[in-house]
Amino acid sequence: MATYLTEPFDRLPFGGADKARRYATERYQGAAGRNWYDCDPTLRFLMRRHLGDGFGWAEPRLREMGALMGGPIAERAEETDRNPPRLEKYDRWGRDVSEVVMPPSFEAARRDIVATSFTRPDFRAEAKRNGVDPAPLGVAWSYLLDQADIGMACALGTGGDMVVGLAELFAPDDVKARVRELFAAGEMSGEAAQLLTERSGGSDLGALESTASRDGDAWRLNGFKWFASNANGSAFVVLAKSEGAADGVRGIAPFLVLKERRDGSRNGVRIRRLKDKLGTRSVASAEIEFTDAEAFLLAPPASAGKGGDGRGLARMMELTNGARLGISMMGLGCARRSLVESLCYAGAREAFGAPLAEQPLMRRKLAELIVETEAVQALVFDGYLGRPRLRIGAALIKLRAARLGVTAASDAIEIHGGNGYIEQWPVARILRDAQVNPIWEGGDNILCLDVRRAVERQDAHEPFLDRLTEAVRQAPAGDDATADLVAERIGHLREAVAKWRGLDRTVAEARLYPLAQYMADVYAAALLLEQAGWERGDSGGDRKALVARLYARSRLADTGPLRGIDDPAEDLDRFKDLADGAFITA
């Protein structure tokens, strides 16, 4: 039933019911308001695969989470984007309170999410009592949340595992107890932040200027952090150099700073201003100044006299791979939301006598979005759940997933036409949010340098290539051509790494990007074949084999002089299989 008034121009001679139907508001339901578990066959596929016999226990809980994320959380995300956090800098007497005031929509969403999170300790314990591995459920929770609001995911998940893990290892006992209280609801409760970036740069951390001075078993920290997300948190991991330390990477150490001092008074943490950001407005990002802030060195006690053991930055970077997977999931969340909005819109919008989704060029674009999104989905879920975890994996996965979030959102805007460029439609916000993912936790160049370190210092490409080879062995029978193609490219990739290692160092660095992209291409193709093999054994289906074939043809095949123009039109001929396996409208 329409809720809008009939206008005079609705009765013009060249108008009529058929044309008016094209822009009837009630026909355009996007992703919001749906159950994001029920409408996502790919998520159900992955949960069946990773949970095994535990799937029956987990599915009702997944369905409840899908309704929450697609309903109230998605709705509140739009409200928070329109009414972002604000800084209450001074109280009525002009005293600095540096208080971040979060909008009611954020607070309501956070309460619901934390209370029902699959990552909270009591839920994980309940799952284990029922013989269910909680890890895949935690990954599904992040996947669903990131489709609603990656800013909220950042607010809840920024550095929680880092704060808890490092505090348990190195903080004084009374400080450990305080940290445990703060994170009683779990590491994803929004109490943490990690403060690395300064005005000298976020990547060149050796140039940072923040300084810590010894004060008993604590330290006094002074400095200025340029970009701190989740500034309304209660526990910060802060990078600084101890007074007298080397002015470089080895002089850096991580420190724990709590919002309150040991004696309960306010710590010397001042917020200068909140960042006026392009997107992710639901996470408060700020410039933070430390003025004699009470801090605790997160390093072995024996190294306290030297201000750390010289491994502070390396220790944090070891934890960064987990954070990079988190950003990868955000990229996937943006891509999945963009795909769903595109399928909804193209199915409802009519032009030239048929829905957009029936036009050949649009079908090509939608099929491409489906295949690319499922390829990144395979990468991200393998990054979290694959064993053993690959040293080289997180950088490659983030390289691909963060960028897909941007390009998929851009495609979704184009599919919506001029409507997509308007903030009243959801895809404009998704693009604004997605653009931060290639920046957070290292841009493309930084990720490529991490690939170089992993290859040169740890020969990390060897277990990576072994993993790909094993995945291809799981490919289903009947499509040997795709499996042979991917296997051949694994061999070529081994040759490429060997050739790259012999290049002049300057040239080798410049070639890191195409090498890393090649790695990501073959990685995703191998994982899709592995999924196809599992699907064939589980249900006899061949949809994942189709996805793997289309992906390998697009990313790995030699297209010849005709550039693939003469390829089989499976993306069109089997479009219904692709679309129905990606999204259920009912």
Side-chain angles (χ1 to χ4, degrees), residues 9 21 38 75 127 196-197 223 259 281 305 340 349 420 511:
F9 53 75
R21 183 178 176 277
D38 284 341
E75 181 182 347
L196 288 66
T197 304
K259 195 171 184 178
R281 292 172 177 169
V340 173
R349 183 66 167 163
R511 297 291 185 267

Side-chain angles (χ1 to χ4, degrees), residues 77-86 100-103 106 149-152 155 274-285 423 429 432-433 436 440:
E78 300 294 339
E79 181 65 24
T80 300
D81 183 68
R82 291 189 292 269
N83 300 280
R86 60 182 176 84
V100 178
V101 180
M102 304 302 294
F106 174 92
D149 189 357
I150 67 168
M152 176 65 78
L274 296 183
K275 295 292 192 181
D276 185 8
K277 297 181 297 180
L278 175 68
T280 60
R281 292 172 177 169
S282 52
V283 59
S285 301
E423 292 287 353
R429 177 178 70 87
R432 287 191 285 103
D433 285 357
V436 79
W440 275 345

